[in-house]
């Protein structure tokens, strides 16, 4: 008759053990570097990090300050058009206004035109998801199952193209720039293509496949707040129509803040504007379509240059300066504590 020890030994051999193998990796006996930090290493790290951050911060701030920028608020200057647009029944009535301004100095280099909106919350959770990415890829999908509601279909069942609150609220003011030179008015040539990201233009947005755009969007209707269908967004350039329109693509990339700016146009560097915008008197001619009074918003037009670090936003430079200053101050505090403790230790050793 088998005893208890034999039974346990047999069960142990039959049942696999849960213990890891006796190897250096599984038993965590691999060679490791365990640095012993001394006061010199710690202080050197703080001071070197602080010096680097301070240097980078100063460079970034100087770079941002070198950007030439002019910002024009036309919310009040186009107040008559704003009142007209507050009544939705006037959607088909045109309204224009003009804003004059002067450049005291030349703006040399590439000049970019932006439109800016204030107090427009694109970061609302329901607004952000109100789109159909499958539809924007040119696929024939059932938008009723998307997050586009209530901007999916009309009462007669006609689907909207594009659907969703983001597309429906697209910025649709038309802004032209004129240069007043020696009693003559010259329109500044502006580029409306090449402003969106390559990945958006070629990957995330595509038109439905068809022999022409009007037939590709047959059976659909424009969003309620649009004045023309999606395949007529740019009547001068057929390649800049539909879901691959640059203005539409840029608007669909929502902002994280309530005050933001989007790239609208680039100044084409030809003839009088080969070097940029010369000093002088200019006029913005605006076709006012986008109402902002109901949500107490403001609208701006911005003319700006860019540098290697971006536009005239000193936030990153300020963040570096603050971080560098904090690191250096922490280094001095640690140094003072170390000297105080070493002095106390020496005193007790003498006693």
């Amino acid at each position: 008759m088998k005893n208890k020890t034999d039974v346990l030994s047999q069960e142990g051999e039959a049942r696999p053990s849960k213990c890891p193998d006796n190897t250096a990796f599984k038993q965590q006996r691999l060679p490791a570097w365990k640095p012993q930090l001394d006061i010199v290493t710690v202080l050197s790290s703080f001071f070197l990090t602080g010096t680097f951050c301070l240097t980078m911060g100063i460079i970034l701030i100087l770079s941002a300050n070198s950007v030439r920028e002019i910002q024009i608020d036309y919310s009040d200057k186009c107040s008559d058009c704003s009142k007209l647009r507050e009544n939705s029944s006037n959607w088909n009535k045109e309204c224009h206004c003009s804003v004059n301004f002067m450049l005291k100095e030349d703006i040399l280099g590439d000049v970019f035109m932006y439109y800016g909106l204030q107090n427009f919350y694109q970061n609302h959770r329901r607004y952000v998801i109100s789109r159909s990415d499958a539809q924007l890829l040119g696929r024939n999908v059932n938008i009723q199952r998307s997050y586009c509601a209530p901007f999916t279909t009309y009462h007669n069942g006609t689907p909207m193209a594009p659907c969703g609150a983001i597309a429906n609220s697209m910025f649709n003011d038309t802004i032209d720039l004129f240069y007043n030179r020696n009693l003559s008015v010259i329109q500044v040539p502006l580029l409306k293509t090449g402003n969106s990201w390559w990945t958006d233009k070629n990957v995330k947005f595509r038109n439905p496949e068809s022999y022409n755009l009007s037939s590709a969007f047959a059976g659909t209707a424009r969003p309620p707040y649009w004045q023309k269908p999606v395949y007529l967004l740019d009547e001068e350039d057929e390649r800049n129509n539909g879901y691959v329109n640059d203005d539409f693509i840029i608007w669909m990339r929502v902002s994280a803040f309530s005050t933001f700016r989007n790239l609208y146009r680039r100044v084409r560097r030809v003839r009088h504007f080969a070097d940029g915008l010369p000093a002088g008197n200019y006029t913005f001619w605006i076709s006012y379509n986008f109402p902002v009074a109901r949500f107490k918003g403001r609208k701006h037009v911005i003319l700006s240059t860019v540098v290697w670090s971006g536009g005239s936003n000193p936030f990153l430079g300020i963040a570096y300066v603050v971080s560098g200053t904090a690191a250096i101050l922490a280094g001095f505090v640690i140094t003072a504590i170390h000297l105080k403790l070493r002095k106390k230790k020496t005193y007790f050793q003498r006693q």
Side-chain angles (χ1 to χ4, degrees):
M1 187 174 180
K2 296 182 180 181
N3 56 27
K4 188 176 181 180
T5 306
D6 295 335
V7 175
L8 291 175
S9 62
Q10 290 179 2
E11 290 180 354
E13 292 176 358
R15 185 183 303 165
S17 175
K18 295 183 179 180
C19 296
D21 297 336
N22 189 22
T23 61
F25 177 75
K26 292 187 176 181
Q27 294 297 334
Q28 299 184 10
R29 294 195 302 266
L30 291 174
W33 179 57
K34 299 179 181 179
Q36 300 295 327
L37 298 179
D38 56 3
I39 189 63
V40 176
T41 305
V42 173
L43 290 179
S44 299
S45 301
F46 272 93
F47 285 118
L48 288 176
T49 302
T51 303
F52 171 78
C53 290
L54 272 178
T55 304
M56 284 299 301
I58 293 172
I59 293 174
L60 289 171
I61 290 175
L62 292 176
S63 176
N65 290 337
S66 66
V67 173
R68 294 292 311 281
E69 178 178 300
I70 180 171
Q71 180 169 306
I72 306 294
D73 187 329
Y74 65 95
S75 304
D76 296 331
K77 297 179 181 179
C78 298
S79 57
D80 293 338
C81 290
S82 178
K83 295 177 182 178
L84 179 71
R85 287 288 172 257
E86 289 306 313
N87 188 348
S88 58
S89 62
N90 297 325
W91 67 271
N92 59 344
K93 296 181 180 179
E94 294 187 0
C95 189
H96 299 86
C97 58
S98 60
V99 180
N100 300 317
F101 66 97
M102 185 180 67
L103 288 181
K104 297 181 179 179
E105 299 178 357
D106 297 344
I107 300 181
L108 302 178
D110 294 328
V111 182
F112 299 83
M113 180 188 293
Y114 301 83
Y115 63 85
L117 289 177
Q118 184 177 340
N119 207 36
F120 190 94
Y121 288 84
Q122 281 191 315
N123 55 5
H124 190 280
R125 60 183 181 85
R126 292 191 62 185
Y127 182 91
V128 169
I129 64 174
S130 185
R131 58 188 292 165
S132 173
D133 291 322
Q135 184 194 46
L136 298 177
L137 281 171
R139 300 173 183 171
N140 186 13
V141 295
N142 183 7
I143 58 175
Q144 293 282 11
R145 299 180 180 178
S146 67
Y147 293 103
C148 288
F151 301 101
T152 52
T153 60
Y154 286 93
H155 296 296
N156 59 1
T158 304
M160 300 180 189
C163 70
I166 305 176
N168 183 59
S169 61
M170 177 180 168
F171 183 85
N172 57 351
D173 282 1
T174 302
I175 306 171
D176 293 314
L177 180 61
F178 292 90
Y179 175 43
N180 306 314
R181 179 175 180 268
N182 298 331
L183 301 179
S184 62
V185 179
I186 303 172
Q187 184 171 4
V188 179
L190 302 174
L191 297 172
K192 61 176 68 175
T193 58
N195 299 325
S196 59
W197 292 11
W198 185 91
T199 51
D200 288 348
K201 187 83 170 181
N202 297 277
V203 179
K204 295 180 64 177
F205 294 83
R206 294 177 185 174
N207 285 324
E209 294 183 359
S210 183
Y211 63 92
N212 60 35
L213 275 183
S214 60
S215 62
F217 290 98
T220 65
R222 58 176 177 80
Y225 291 171
W226 285 28
Q227 296 177 327
K228 49 189 175 182
V230 66
Y231 55 86
L232 292 178
L233 288 179
D234 188 352
E235 300 181 12
E236 300 176 358
D237 188 355
E238 293 183 356
R239 297 171 299 177
N240 190 37
N241 264 318
Y243 296 148
V244 295
N245 176 266
D246 275 46
D247 292 339
F248 174 70
I249 291 174
I250 292 173
W251 177 259
M252 294 300 290
R253 183 175 290 276
V254 297
S255 173
F257 302 99
S258 61
T259 299
F260 61 92
R261 63 176 64 178
N262 285 336
L263 181 59
Y264 181 68
R265 297 289 183 265
R266 290 176 294 130
V267 174
R268 186 180 179 187
R269 298 176 63 177
V270 294
R271 294 178 297 176
H272 303 288
F273 314 100
D275 298 325
L277 291 180
N281 294 318
Y282 289 83
T283 301
F284 282 125
W285 182 254
I286 301 167
S287 176
Y288 198 105
N289 299 304
F290 194 86
V292 295
R294 284 190 177 181
F295 56 88
K296 298 180 181 179
R298 310 287 297 180
K299 293 194 291 187
H300 308 83
V301 185
I302 302 103
L303 295 173
S304 175
T305 59
V306 295
V307 291
W308 63 271
S309 59
S312 62
N313 188 353
F315 174 79
L316 186 60
I318 294 174
Y320 267 103
V321 169
V322 172
S323 300
T325 304
I328 291 177
L329 289 176
F332 281 118
V333 171
I334 295 173
T335 302
I337 295 174
H338 170 70
L339 293 177
K340 184 177 180 180
L341 292 178
R342 188 176 66 174
K343 185 177 179 181
K344 185 181 296 185
K345 182 177 180 181
T346 305
Y347 172 78
F348 283 110
Q349 286 178 350
R350 290 178 180 177
Q351 293 296 324

